[in-house]
Amino acid sequence: MNSMKTNLLVSVLTIALCLVLVTGATFALYTSEAPSSVVVSPAKLDVLATFDYEHINQFNTSTERNEWLVKGKVDGTTPGLLIVSDIAPYEGFDVNFVIQNNSAVSVKWRMEYAITCVDSEGNENKEYGSYFEVSIDDEILKPSSRWMELGIDGQSKSYDLKVTLSGDAPVYSTSMTCYITLTVFAIQGNADGTKH
């Protein structure tokens, strides 16, 4: 009888031990967490935009022969700012610029612009700036370009910035001066540009 009690006790303890092991393993399987091994290392971005303001090409797109002369003036002596004065409808200008990535990572960049126009008396004319069309390599900016990519370590690319005053622009009796502010934004090449 003693032997039967011992065998029964050993069997019950063995079953209990198996249940504990199965329960513990199941609990460990469904509640375990593995530490994340993602390392985020920010990169210093060094992107340079250089505009060739010494070689601004002015043009007139009018089909009328007497309108071919360019009357407007463009001043690019202030970095990031183009000052356009006395420009007439159909007139415009283009200027070459280079974007260079001096970073150790690839980058995405885009350009944004803002136009503020004032008359000769200093009154701001918010409507007049909307008659300008700004493009990079014939892609019209609205009011920014799409994200463009550049590789690492000094890769550069040349672009043509073109600004044209629409033929639909009103002609005012007073002269207009417009300030075109150009800003270049850059993000790391693997970043999601839709959030910036």
Side-chain angles (χ1 to χ4, degrees), residues 24-84:
T26 302
F27 182 75
L29 178 66
Y30 289 107
T31 61
S32 67
E33 292 183 19
S36 176
S37 62
V38 175
V39 177
V40 177
S41 55
K44 179 183 175 196
L45 300 182
D46 182 7
V47 178
L48 179 65
T50 307
F51 288 82
D52 185 7
Y53 291 134
E54 292 181 12
H55 297 98
I56 294 175
N57 176 42
Q58 291 183 253
F59 57 83
N60 190 319
T61 61
S62 174
T63 57
E64 300 293 324
R65 185 166 179 78
N66 61 349
E67 293 294 325
W68 287 355
L69 297 175
V70 176
K71 300 172 183 122
K73 299 177 200 86
V74 181
D75 176 5
T77 56
T78 305
L81 179 68
L82 291 166
I83 302 170
V84 181

Side-chain angles (χ1 to χ4, degrees), residues 79-82 111-116 143 178-183:
L81 179 68
L82 291 166
M111 181 181 292
E112 291 185 3
Y113 73 91
I115 301 176
T116 305
C178 297
Y179 302 90
I180 304 172
T181 306
L182 304 170
T183 308

Side-chain angles (χ1 to χ4, degrees), residues 21 34 39 56 82 92 129 133 138 141 155 160 162 185 187 192:
L21 287 174
V39 177
I56 294 175
L82 291 166
E133 181 178 277
D138 296 325
L141 309 185
Q155 183 181 13
D160 184 50
K162 183 186 277 184
F185 295 93
I187 59 175
D192 182 7

Side-chain angles (χ1 to χ4, degrees), residues 3 32 163 190:
S3 163
S32 67
V163 179
N190 60 354

